[in-house]
Amino acid sequence: MPLGLQHGRANSFADKDYLILSSDVKFLRTLFFQALRAEEADETVYRKANKELKDNLEGIPGIPQSVKELFQISLMYEQDPTEKNFKAMHQKVLHMSAADIKIAGRLFLEMLQHANLVERNHRVRRWREYKRGDKTVKSSSSQTLQDCFKELMEKGFTPEQIRESLLRQNTELVFTAHPTQAARRSVLTKHATISQLLELHDRSGPNGTSKLTPLQRSEILAALQESLLGIWRTNPVRRHKPTPEDEARYGLSVVEESLWEALPDHYHAVDYALKKIGCEPLPIDCCLLTLGSWMGGDRDGNPYVTAVLTKRVVFLSQWRAAHLYWTEVDQLLWDLSVAGPGNKEIQEEIARINGIKSSNAKGTLKKNHSLTSVHNLLAPFDFYRPQLETEENYRQVLTHIRARLAATVRRATALSQEQPFKPDPINHHYSSTSELATDLLRIYRSLHECGDGILAEGRLKELLWRVHTFGLSLTRLDIRQESTRHADALDEVTSYLGLGSYRTWSEETKIQWLTNELHSKRPLIPPDLPCSAPVKEVIDTFKMIAEIGSEPFGAYVISMTTSASDVLAVRLLQKEAGIQQHLRVVPLFETKLDLENAPACMELLFKNSWYQANLSSPPQVPNIGWQPHQEVMLGYSDSAKDAGRLASVWGLHKAQEALVELSHKYKIKLNLFHGRGGSVGRGGGPQYLATLSQPAGSVQGWMRVTVQGEVIDHYFGLPSIASHTMERYTTSVLTATLTPPKAPSDDFREIMQRLSETSCNKYRSLVFEDPEFIEYFRTATPDFELKGLNLGSRPSKRKQGGIESLRAIPWMFAWTQTRLQLPVWLGVGTALKAEIDNGNLKTLQDMYNDWPFFRSTVELLEMVLAKTSKTIADYYESLLVPEDLQSVSSKVWEEFENTMKSILQVIRHEHMLEGDSSLSSRLAIATRVPLVDPINVLQANALVRMRADENQPDIHVLRDAFAITVQGVAAGMGWTG
């Protein structure tokens, strides 16, 4: 049934999109099946009606009969999801061999990935259609820069005010590794290729309006089949855990293959939108976006991230960056074949370069052939010979820049392998981003001054945008460590020096001692300090930062911050290591209690005389000119695991309000760093709505936010997707800065406070206080089995213990696999029902309509509830949960029903995702869910067999089957945890 009619109301737009998606899914599936049959695809596939496409597994070698039969049953279930058809799936899987379960899981995984790729391509397609002027695709996810500027002007802002706000704006996206990243990079790379081919395929056009030749169409089909078959032949199961360096390489690959291309498109879009409202383009050094990373720097709970590893990742990043810049400059050599001397600045630069060459001509080059070796490193055969073109001064300067970049590559290569490096006396390597930017800006200014400005506005301008955004390392690497590790280090220092045990001191004593030591000019830590291995690693990390310098690093983030002394301790350790320019220290408040105490903690720091005089500044962002400020990170994951989602989001909201008020009191600029996860249960969801629902004053032209590894590919996997994502970040931050939401009324706040308290009590009463809950969690979900998968480099627990010691990511991961997603909604139903029973339904509905924070909270809950499947979760329980734990199950389902009913009352809908704003979620669910249910059936049965006998002959096959189904469910849900 068309999607719009499923919800009891006609929706031609939704029906149209659903039919297009269905057709695209079937098209890709047909190509896949043809590839498995070794059938050559040809352009007749374009012309076949949807009903003619062969949608079965007949004739495919290696597919067992039981899998073919399960596939046919799943198609029946997709068309008619009745209990009868579900039981038929169960009966079929029940009698399948372990090997057949593995093959079936693999097949459904691939088909789910096809649906995801098609849905992602459709988003790009619709976005482009809208930007071309098709207003029928307008939705909340389709706001362009021009839309944003128009709405702001309608609210009274002038074009000059809009441009001025952009000049002061910066959004930093911080990529993090994900310990439950399910898909292999080998597969993700092929997915990107398929997405690019689907974009080309769209150009074929409907009804014979193709802009491609028959040969081109045939080549696209062949390339699609090649990638689809290549994925099928790739083992989706990791045999080894990825290392932190592997994770860092993945992050860098996304920058290289997607963001590098998307960034200039974004800046061109901004300048075009400004032009349309009568404004000048942004200055060349304006920096709307920057990138950070935790990959290779996040050592919190990960013993594999060491000082040695972080150092290697830094130089690996510099190597890749210099190589990319070298390639761009090499292209510029061909573009800027301008005959002429250039301006005075260019002439002086050439004279300086020639002077260096002349002074080193005698003896040095005979002994040191580094210039040749550097050149040969990247260009063993250089078809451009600048020495023959002495009248082309720009090329002379670019040749020197290229040689310096080659030296930078050689240096990073040597240092990453801990080999000696000897600097080139003529072409010295670049040691800072500003050096490279200065050299390129010299050419940019000269071209404009000499009347050739058009030549400066192409590749050269795009390169300068990249330099200001990516720097010499592509991303700035944050260092993250848990607060107790620093306390342990200082405890060993004070104990060795006979000052007592630092850990036993009161907070007041710690602050006074730390302040005195920060003022002191004498060293504190002896160079020969005898210390434990963990403390030595902490000290080595600070020494490594001092050795490399602050240029490639971002913030030093302290996880589990509980006090002001945690921050001062890191400042002291930086001082003792000899770090010349301290990394800005960012306290991360994570639990419910820590969020409540955050304002008091920060006020102690703001009152501290040394701290006030030494507030750190962020990395230099050219267009902003930052004054000293305080950055604070807010943790969404642990607070949600600690108190439930409703209490978590309200605690975060109140903490932001209090911190903003505190910053105004002390006249200190506050910058908030949002530690959002990929899933809704850990603060994930549409970033656009999240930004617009932040408290007034919390977004002041600046936002820093994590992008979890599991969703990096979703938002940045392709240049077209990345460009769309960048535009949404820029427009949301601009809108939130200029038009912040008004403060909620006292009535709204009082009800929200009660909702928070009631939901938290309900959540904790079950999760932490019910003695049977832990056993229910361990039996009803694949928590134990997930720990055996090679998904990420970080352990799932910080320490041994129960729910409290489990990290937030695997906690959500386990519930997501069973489609229950309990941590997101548990407690919400009880809280809403209590308010409704007290006669506050109308006020709750007003809160939904008039308060962006509450609306976004409810809409995300609505989306999660729509993805939650009682049928599937019940199925897991029936197979895995003992009878004596049914009392927990009944409590869970009673709360689920209360939540569903209450949410629908608040939003005034009969069905979840009924509103127009939920279209994209409805489409995604409609294309994925029919394929996820069979995977869940396969997974639940694999779990039953794995738990029955760990020593059975086919246990390894079952574990592979389980690992494959984990990827399938993650693909269907859109996240792992």
Side-chain angles (χ1 to χ4, degrees):
M1 180 181 293
L3 188 63
L5 301 180
Q6 284 182 330
H7 294 282
R9 54 194 288 272
N11 189 329
S12 59
F13 174 30
D15 293 344
K16 175 185 175 183
D17 279 83
Y18 180 69
L19 292 173
I20 292 173
L21 278 172
S22 298
S23 176
D24 287 351
V25 167
K26 199 161 188 177
F27 164 73
L28 204 58
R29 185 184 299 176
T30 300
L31 285 179
F32 174 56
F33 288 169
Q34 286 181 326
L36 295 183
R37 295 188 190 96
E39 296 175 358
E40 181 181 353
D42 57 50
E43 67 170 303
T44 58
V45 174
Y46 282 97
R47 298 195 294 268
K48 285 185 177 180
N50 204 39
K51 61 183 180 181
E52 295 180 54
L53 298 178
K54 188 184 293 185
D55 199 8
N56 61 62
L57 302 175
E58 296 305 322
I60 298 178
I63 303 293
Q65 184 61 32
S66 63
V67 176
K68 295 177 183 178
E69 292 170 359
L70 177 64
F71 177 66
Q72 292 303 317
I73 295 172
S74 72
L75 292 179
M76 293 167 54
Y77 178 74
E78 179 179 353
Q79 295 299 317
D80 188 16
T82 61
E83 183 179 356
K84 176 184 176 182
N85 286 332
F86 187 85
K87 286 183 176 179
M89 282 197 298
H90 165 68
Q91 288 297 323
K92 178 54 61 179
V93 174
L94 193 63
H95 297 95
M96 289 172 67
S97 68
D100 288 1
I101 289 178
K102 178 179 176 180
I103 294 172
R106 183 68 198 283
L107 183 70
F108 282 103
L109 167 63
E110 295 311 316
M111 292 190 293
L112 252 175
Q113 297 289 18
H114 300 164
N116 283 343
L117 291 169
V118 162
E119 191 267 332
R120 182 166 73 172
N121 182 63
H122 190 64
R123 278 191 290 130
V124 174
R125 177 194 295 151
R126 282 305 197 196
W127 179 245
R128 286 177 172 164
E129 288 172 354
Y130 177 70
K131 297 188 85 169
R132 284 197 294 264
D134 184 353
K135 302 305 179 183
T136 64
V137 298
K138 173 66 175 172
S139 72
S140 61
S141 64
S142 302
Q143 190 183 56
T144 64
L145 285 153
Q146 293 180 66
D147 291 331
C148 176
F149 293 176
K150 180 182 178 182
E151 289 182 10
L152 289 172
M153 290 171 66
E154 289 172 351
K155 293 177 180 178
F157 292 95
T158 65
E160 291 73 22
Q161 287 174 316
I162 293 171
R163 184 177 184 274
E164 186 64 26
S165 184
L166 285 171
L167 291 176
R168 297 191 300 270
Q169 182 169 311
N170 176 255
T171 303
E172 184 157 72
L173 308 175
V174 182
F175 288 175
T176 72
H178 200 272
T180 56
Q181 170 65 273
R184 292 183 60 191
R185 182 181 168 190
S186 299
V187 173
L188 292 175
T189 302
K190 294 179 178 66
H191 285 167
T193 300
I194 292 172
S195 294
Q196 292 166 346
L197 290 167
L198 287 175
E199 287 187 35
L200 289 174
H201 166 242
D202 278 348
R203 298 179 190 174
S204 63
N207 304 322
T209 61
S210 175
K211 297 179 181 179
L212 302 175
T213 67
L215 175 60
Q216 288 174 321
R217 293 197 296 272
S218 178
E219 288 174 338
I220 290 173
L221 290 175
L224 280 168
Q225 281 195 321
E226 179 184 349
S227 293
L228 291 168
L229 186 59
I231 293 172
W232 179 254
R233 298 301 185 200
T234 301
N235 187 353
V237 181
R238 288 193 182 99
R239 296 305 179 196
H240 305 283
K241 274 185 174 290
T243 67
E245 183 177 329
D246 293 334
E247 293 166 340
R249 287 176 180 272
Y250 166 67
L252 292 174
S253 72
V254 174
V255 177
E256 289 186 51
E257 296 162 13
S258 179
L259 287 160
W260 186 265
E261 297 301 324
L263 185 83
D265 291 341
H266 177 59
Y267 276 106
H268 283 306
V270 174
D271 284 349
Y272 181 77
L274 285 171
K275 179 181 177 181
K276 285 297 182 180
I277 61 172
C279 287
E280 291 291 319
L282 295 175
I284 188 65
D285 57 355
C286 186
C287 204
L288 294 174
L289 293 162
T290 46
L291 294 180
S293 176
W294 282 11
M295 300 182 187
D298 182 8
R299 56 241 311 121
D300 174 22
N302 192 338
Y304 307 110
V305 180
T306 63
V308 173
L309 182 280
T310 298
K311 182 177 179 180
R312 179 170 169 80
V313 168
V314 166
F315 291 122
L316 172 68
S317 302
Q318 292 181 349
W319 167 60
R320 295 310 304 157
H323 191 280
L324 287 168
Y325 290 132
W326 187 96
T327 302
E328 291 296 324
V329 171
D330 192 57
Q331 290 295 317
L332 275 173
L333 278 167
W334 298 99
D335 292 353
L336 296 182
S337 55
V338 179
N343 67 359
K344 182 180 178 182
E345 196 178 4
I346 288 293
Q347 295 172 42
E348 290 175 349
E349 175 65 6
I350 289 177
R352 187 189 68 82
I353 293 170
N354 289 334
I356 294 174
K357 290 180 179 179
S358 177
S359 64
N360 285 275
K362 295 182 179 181
T364 304
L365 291 180
K366 293 179 180 178
K367 298 176 183 178
N368 184 350
H369 298 283
S370 61
L371 176 60
T372 303
S373 62
V374 168
H375 180 71
N376 287 343
L377 179 67
L378 292 178
F381 299 103
D382 191 354
F383 290 97
Y384 170 67
R385 294 188 291 170
Q387 64 271 26
L388 301 182
E389 306 292 347
T390 55
E391 65 175 9
E392 298 173 352
N393 279 2
Y394 295 123
R395 281 180 160 178
Q396 296 295 312
V397 174
L398 284 168
T399 301
H400 181 63
I401 294 173
R402 187 180 65 167
R404 292 191 65 184
L405 286 168
T408 308
V409 170
R410 189 169 67 94
R411 175 179 179 269
T413 303
L415 295 181
S416 69
Q417 299 171 1
E418 297 186 348
Q419 295 177 353
F421 170 73
K422 187 173 183 180
D424 189 301
I426 297 178
N427 302 301
H428 196 270
H429 65 271
Y430 284 107
S431 57
S432 70
T433 301
S434 60
E435 289 181 8
L436 177 57
T438 298
D439 282 355
L440 293 170
L441 279 168
R442 187 179 290 114
I443 299 173
Y444 182 84
R445 286 192 295 266
S446 176
L447 286 167
H448 275 282
E449 290 176 17
C450 296
D452 294 324
I454 292 177
L455 297 177
E457 297 300 307
R459 187 186 299 274
L460 177 58
K461 187 174 186 177
E462 292 181 351
L463 178 55
L464 278 162
W465 282 334
R466 289 174 171 132
V467 170
H468 288 305
T469 299
F470 301 122
L472 276 185
S473 303
L474 294 183
T475 64
R476 285 184 180 270
L477 187 65
D478 280 5
I479 302 295
R480 183 170 79 132
Q481 182 59 280
E482 190 180 358
S483 59
T484 57
R485 296 291 300 276
H486 310 124
D488 289 343
L490 291 177
D491 188 75
E492 292 197 15
V493 171
T494 58
S495 297
Y496 176 76
L497 296 176
L499 301 176
S501 173
Y502 175 85
R503 275 195 162 283
T504 65
W505 295 350
S506 67
E507 176 67 4
E508 183 180 359
T509 301
K510 287 178 181 177
I511 290 176
Q512 186 59 58
W513 180 78
L514 289 165
T515 303
N516 291 340
E517 291 300 328
L518 284 164
H519 278 296
S520 175
K521 294 183 180 180
R522 61 158 174 74
L524 170 70
I525 302 177
D528 57 347
L529 173 74
C531 57
S532 63
V535 168
K536 183 178 185 302
E537 179 56 41
V538 169
I539 294 174
D540 285 349
T541 296
F542 286 102
K543 289 180 178 179
M544 175 270 299
I545 297 170
E547 177 189 347
I548 294 176
S550 302
E551 167 86 13
F553 295 103
Y556 194 110
V557 179
I558 311 171
S559 58
M560 292 298 171
T561 299
T562 60
S563 61
S565 62
D566 291 336
V567 176
L568 294 174
V570 173
R571 294 302 299 267
L572 178 58
L573 289 168
Q574 290 197 75
K575 169 181 173 287
E576 288 299 310
I579 298 173
Q580 295 300 309
Q581 183 181 343
H582 281 203
L583 306 189
R584 65 190 191 278
V585 180
V586 179
L588 166 53
F589 299 102
E590 300 179 76
T591 67
K592 180 177 181 290
L593 181 60
D594 290 342
L595 286 167
E596 292 171 352
N597 293 334
C601 172
M602 296 312 302
E603 186 157 25
L604 278 176
L605 287 170
F606 292 164
K607 286 180 177 178
N608 185 282
S609 59
W610 183 91
Y611 196 80
Q612 277 189 340
N614 293 274
L615 277 172
S616 56
S617 295
Q620 180 61 36
V621 181
N623 55 300
I624 297 175
W626 287 98
Q627 69 266 35
H629 83 298
Q630 177 64 56
E631 183 177 335
V632 175
M633 184 172 183
L634 304 172
Y636 288 68
S637 299
D638 283 280
S639 60
K641 182 174 76 73
D642 183 45
R645 170 146 179 90
L646 208 56
S648 169
V649 295
W650 181 233
L652 287 158
H653 195 86
K654 289 193 299 179
Q656 290 181 71
E657 291 178 323
L659 289 168
V660 168
E661 183 179 348
L662 188 68
S663 71
H664 290 162
K665 176 181 176 181
Y666 287 91
K667 296 180 173 56
I668 293 173
K669 182 173 176 58
L670 174 71
N671 295 321
L672 294 174
F673 180 10
H674 298 270
R676 296 183 180 275
S679 65
V680 173
R682 297 190 307 103
Q687 182 62 37
Y688 187 83
L689 295 177
T691 303
L692 296 184
S693 64
Q694 298 302 311
S698 62
V699 182
Q700 305 174 63
W702 194 91
M703 173 170 280
R704 201 167 194 247
V705 62
T706 55
V707 183
Q708 287 279 356
E710 63 170 338
V711 295
I712 287 176
D713 184 66
H714 180 75
Y715 290 113
F716 299 99
L718 290 174
S720 53
I721 291 285
S723 180
H724 184 189
T725 302
M726 290 176 181
E727 191 158 348
R728 291 175 59 70
Y729 271 109
T730 298
T731 56
S732 63
V733 171
L734 178 64
T735 302
T737 299
L738 294 179
T739 59
K742 64 180 181 179
S745 67
D746 290 341
D747 286 345
F748 285 8
R749 296 185 68 88
E750 288 174 7
I751 289 181
M752 192 64 223
Q753 183 63 31
R754 289 199 300 269
L755 289 171
S756 171
E757 293 171 357
T758 305
S759 66
C760 180
N761 291 338
K762 178 66 176 179
Y763 177 90
R764 293 190 64 84
S765 70
L766 185 63
V767 173
F768 292 99
E769 296 169 14
D770 191 318
E772 295 182 329
F773 180 80
I774 292 180
E775 189 60 26
Y776 171 80
F777 166 64
R778 289 172 175 165
T779 56
T781 73
D783 170 59
F784 175 79
E785 290 79 9
L786 289 170
K787 295 182 180 69
L789 301 183
N790 296 313
L791 298 181
S793 68
R794 191 171 72 177
S796 63
K797 286 190 175 185
R798 284 189 170 98
K799 55 187 177 182
Q800 294 303 310
I803 299 296
E804 72 284 349
S805 66
L806 190 66
R807 286 185 177 275
I809 295 175
W811 165 248
M812 269 306 304
F813 192 5
W815 290 112
T816 300
Q817 285 295 303
T818 66
R819 309 262 295 281
L820 184 56
Q821 305 188 95
L822 177 141
V824 181
W825 52 261
L826 181 61
V828 175
T830 296
L832 288 175
K833 185 176 184 299
E835 293 299 322
I836 292 171
D837 290 347
N838 286 333
N840 291 323
L841 176 59
K842 176 64 168 58
T843 306
L844 288 170
Q845 291 170 340
D846 291 341
M847 291 167 65
Y848 177 74
N849 291 329
D850 302 333
W851 189 9
F853 161 76
F854 190 71
R855 186 181 188 91
S856 67
T857 300
V858 171
E859 286 185 347
L860 287 174
L861 281 166
E862 181 190 10
M863 185 263 286
V864 169
L865 289 169
K867 287 186 174 184
T868 300
S869 172
K870 188 176 188 304
T871 299
I872 294 301
D874 263 341
Y875 184 66
Y876 276 77
E877 285 191 4
S878 68
L879 295 180
L880 301 169
V881 178
E883 284 290 332
D884 57 2
L885 295 177
Q886 288 303 311
S887 61
V888 180
S889 175
S890 62
K891 294 175 186 177
V892 167
W893 291 117
E894 180 183 2
E895 182 64 13
F896 177 75
E897 295 299 333
N898 284 337
T899 305
M900 292 281 287
K901 181 180 178 181
S902 300
I903 289 289
L904 289 172
Q905 285 180 275
V906 171
I907 64 179
R908 305 186 214 195
H909 289 166
E910 294 183 11
H911 306 279
M912 292 295 173
L913 302 181
E914 185 178 308
D916 290 339
S917 62
S918 303
L919 172 64
S920 59
S921 294
R922 292 206 306 274
L923 290 172
I925 291 173
T927 54
R928 296 172 186 165
V929 166
L931 295 167
V932 187
D933 286 1
I935 292 180
N936 279 119
V937 173
L938 291 163
Q939 183 182 103
N941 280 273
L943 285 169
V944 170
R945 300 186 196 188
M946 290 165 67
R947 292 178 181 181
D949 182 5
E950 292 186 358
N951 298 313
Q952 58 186 293
D954 54 2
I955 187 65
H956 295 295
V957 178
L958 284 170
R959 286 172 180 163
D960 280 357
F962 170 71
I964 289 168
T965 61
V966 166
Q967 294 187 45
V969 176
M973 300 300 287
W975 54 67
T976 54

